[in-house]
Amino acid sequence: MHDESIGIADIGVMSGAAIYIKKDMKLSDIQIEILLGILNIYCLFGSAAAGRTSDWIGRRYTIVFAAVIFFAGALLMGFATNYAFLMVARFVAGVGVGYALMIAPVYTAEVSPASSRGFLNSFPEVFINTGILLGYVSNFAFSKLPLNLGWRFMLGLGAVPSVFLGLGVLAMPESPRWLVMQGRLADAKRVLDRTSDSREESEQRLVDIKDAAGIPQEWNDDVVTVPRTKGTQGGIGVWKEMFLHPTPAVRRVLIAGIGIHFFQQSSGIDAVVLYSPRIFEKAGITNDTQQLLATVAVGFVKTMFILVATFFLDRVGRRPLLLSSVGGMVLSLVTLGTALTVIDHAPHRVMWAVVLAITTVLSYVAFFSIGMGPITWVYSSEIFPLRLRAQGCALAVAVNRVVSGIISMTFLSLSKAITTGGAFYLFAGIATVAWFFFFAFLPETQGRVLEQMGVLFADFNWKESMHNNNKTTVESNSKSSSNGIIAPPPPVPAELELEAPSSGRVGTHPRPAPDSDSVSV
């Protein structure tokens, strides 16, 4: 379960509510930009604290904590009496969103078996996009209420999903990797038995997690005292290891995790989702009701196409979907920029350009939803090693929210400076750079157990990913499906693990080097 949906759905609500907030409070475009985008900056406080919080109280209770904070923020937004009150309420909600965005994908990745990690980590995106769609629908439904009430119901209604999500997660198991880090081996084994495809896979996952946590394999008591290492002490030394003394593998993981989050937002998705009514107005749809109906179409397309990614991530792989997604986004953005430029310069309404603009907005969100949207969260949550995962994901989320905030708070000003069409040409250029970055720097992680990512990033090159990694992963999947179990991962050479090169190294068992062609799931 991803309680990040409680925050992302706010995007759908705010896109329409902003129309009525502006009229009711008589705000300027700059004030609206700040109101919409500031939530992403406020997220930094939540995501910065979420890593240490989740290492302290556990992944599951951190999710509950996030739901409680967002619930309070949503109620405050609904009761806001002025712009300052609304900004304070956005701060509270933003902290909750920051917690949720960081911890939800980490929790799902740590609980899921390798064979279905992509599906389980991306399927909640369906609920996220459903939340956005329902936000659009609620905007349309409440738009008929008096001006000072409609937007309050739109924003206050966001508190309802957080109640169900907070209660629902209490019925779910704790992360087995967090349990091992606390020395609770019996509890971890019970969770692994419930969440693995077979008993053999459960045992192998426990072996890998114990090794990553520095627990000797012969320690099999229900509760053990975990050796004091950087990986088991709530993030002690993690920042130093990531930035001051990173191994080549850690450096590549950090660049990949931050890079994919940076490009997800800098390619303009929040500009399209948040300001879709403005974009449709620019395209020639001037009636508020018609604009809201058009945004409902955006939400519907996003929700439908996220299903495609959900069911194909573990079949096709991350790289093919991601590269296809970004390629389609580039084409859509160029076409959208062209259509809006024609509309801007035409002396009268050009119907074909209006239709093309609306169509390419829909195609853009469709291509985003089949790859860039869900894969960003799946990929970043699975590549960081155990001891760096909470803080590494928190850093990646922080970059995501900062870029999103910048885009959200500058889009209207940018559109005035270089025209709306020019803004989308800019996003197209950024998405093109993103495609080459993903192609050259992101290896395929499909079917890999989390503890196996070290060898993948330590010696990755794009040719190997294209020709060897995919082939061997498919072969391993075939073998696994034939006997109903997941094969154990290949041994990882000590010099290639995602470990610090000195005394901070987690794990006490040197391993022989694997055969260069062997990659198992």
Side-chain angles (χ1 to χ4, degrees):
M1 176 182 293
H2 275 213
D3 73 331
E4 65 195 63
S5 58
I6 62 179
I8 301 300
D10 174 80
I11 294 175
V13 173
M14 284 302 297
S15 68
I19 298 174
Y20 303 100
I21 294 174
K22 181 180 180 180
K23 292 178 180 178
D24 188 28
M25 294 188 176
K26 297 177 175 58
L27 304 179
S28 66
D29 280 347
I30 293 178
Q31 288 176 306
I32 289 295
E33 281 183 322
I34 294 173
L35 179 66
L36 296 184
I38 199 67
L39 183 95
N40 298 298
I41 305 303
Y42 292 154
C43 281
L44 298 179
F45 295 95
S47 61
R52 294 298 296 270
T53 304
S54 67
D55 283 344
W56 180 39
I57 66 174
R59 316 309 199 207
R60 191 170 57 134
Y61 287 115
T62 303
I63 294 177
V64 175
F65 186 49
V68 170
I69 296 175
F70 186 83
F71 175 83
L75 286 183
L76 288 173
M77 284 191 288
F79 286 106
T81 55
N82 53 49
Y83 186 73
F85 193 147
L86 197 53
M87 290 292 284
V88 172
R90 296 288 280 172
F91 173 78
V92 176
V95 172
V97 173
Y99 265 96
L101 286 173
M102 178 265 151
I103 193 57
V106 169
Y107 172 76
T108 309
E110 292 188 346
V111 170
S112 309
S115 61
S116 57
R117 188 172 61 243
F119 171 81
L120 293 174
N121 219 352
S122 63
F123 190 73
E125 290 285 326
V126 176
F127 298 103
I128 291 173
N129 284 277
T130 300
I132 293 176
L133 174 59
L134 292 178
Y136 288 146
V137 172
S138 73
N139 290 343
F140 178 73
F142 293 130
S143 65
K144 305 302 180 183
L145 292 177
L147 183 62
N148 66 331
L149 289 180
W151 65 265
R152 298 181 189 279
F153 278 97
M154 295 175 190
L155 298 181
L157 199 63
V160 177
S162 62
V163 175
F164 293 102
L165 288 164
L167 294 175
V169 77
L170 293 175
M172 300 175 68
E174 181 53 87
S175 160
R177 288 168 172 84
W178 182 81
L179 291 171
V180 169
M181 289 170 67
Q182 307 309 306
R184 296 163 56 182
L185 300 185
D187 291 338
K189 188 177 186 307
R190 280 192 290 271
V191 174
L192 289 169
D193 287 342
R194 292 171 56 189
T195 59
S196 299
D197 295 330
S198 66
R199 179 59 61 87
E200 290 83 358
E201 182 194 1
S202 171
E203 294 172 353
Q204 184 60 48
R205 288 173 72 187
L206 183 59
V207 168
D208 292 332
I209 297 170
K210 286 171 66 177
D211 190 52
I215 299 176
Q217 297 298 334
E218 60 270 18
W219 291 10
N220 294 306
D221 295 337
D222 288 353
V223 179
V224 300
T225 301
V226 181
R228 296 182 63 84
T229 68
K230 290 185 292 183
T232 58
Q233 298 302 312
I236 296 175
V238 164
W239 299 111
K240 182 184 294 185
E241 183 175 351
M242 283 198 293
F243 291 106
L244 298 183
H245 307 293
T247 62
V250 168
R251 187 181 301 111
R252 290 172 184 169
V253 165
L254 192 61
I255 294 172
I258 291 176
I260 194 170
H261 275 276
F262 171 82
F263 284 117
Q264 185 203 46
Q265 292 300 325
S266 61
S267 56
I269 183 60
D270 275 3
V272 172
V273 175
L274 272 174
Y275 295 105
S276 52
R278 294 289 190 105
I279 297 170
F280 290 131
E281 180 182 12
K282 179 66 68 174
I285 302 176
T286 56
N287 181 274
D288 287 353
T289 301
Q290 291 177 344
Q291 290 174 14
L292 292 179
L293 279 174
T295 61
V296 170
V298 171
F300 179 78
V301 170
K302 280 181 100 293
T303 303
M304 291 301 100
F305 277 86
I306 198 68
L307 288 168
V308 176
T310 297
F311 291 103
F312 279 90
L313 261 173
D314 289 314
R315 298 180 183 181
V316 177
R318 280 58 157 161
R319 273 176 65 94
L321 279 179
L322 183 60
L323 295 175
S324 300
S325 167
V326 178
M329 288 166 58
V330 171
L331 182 61
S332 298
L333 287 167
V334 170
T335 308
L336 177 59
T338 302
L340 292 175
T341 300
V342 169
I343 292 170
D344 269 345
H345 291 83
H348 53 81
R349 189 176 188 183
V350 182
M351 197 61 198
W352 67 264
V354 172
V355 173
L356 185 62
I358 295 172
T359 302
T360 49
V361 167
L362 299 179
S363 68
Y364 171 77
V365 298
F367 279 115
F368 179 87
S369 295
I370 66 170
M372 180 74 100
I375 291 174
T376 295
W377 302 101
V378 172
Y379 201 88
S380 62
S381 68
E382 64 189 3
I383 61 176
F384 285 100
L386 178 61
R387 73 186 180 285
L388 306 180
R389 189 168 299 136
Q391 283 75 17
C393 286
L395 180 63
V397 169
V399 171
N400 184 289
R401 293 297 89 193
V402 167
V403 178
S404 176
I406 292 172
I407 297 295
S408 302
M409 291 191 290
T410 60
F411 178 71
L412 294 180
S413 301
L414 180 67
S415 296
K416 291 178 180 178
I418 63 173
T419 75
T420 306
F424 286 110
Y425 281 136
L426 176 61
F427 293 144
I430 294 173
T432 302
V433 175
W435 192 94
F436 285 102
F437 174 81
F438 298 152
F439 181 80
F441 210 83
L442 270 61
E444 179 61 72
T445 58
Q446 176 193 9
R448 300 270 190 165
V449 295
L450 298 183
E451 286 69 32
Q452 196 185 354
M453 297 297 174
V455 68
L456 185 61
F457 275 88
D459 195 28
F460 168 71
N461 63 73
W462 64 269
K463 292 181 179 179
E464 177 184 343
S465 184
M466 288 183 65
H467 297 107
N468 295 333
N469 188 73
N470 290 340
K471 175 182 176 183
T472 51
T473 300
V474 171
E475 290 173 352
S476 298
N477 283 336
S478 176
K479 291 177 183 178
S480 298
S481 60
S482 65
N483 57 23
I485 65 171
I486 299 295
V492 181
E495 68 274 12
L496 294 183
E497 287 184 334
L498 287 168
E499 309 292 349
S502 58
S503 60
R505 177 168 143 53
V506 177
T508 58
H509 307 285
R511 304 177 184 179
D515 181 79
S516 60
D517 290 327
S518 64
V519 177
S520 52
V521 182

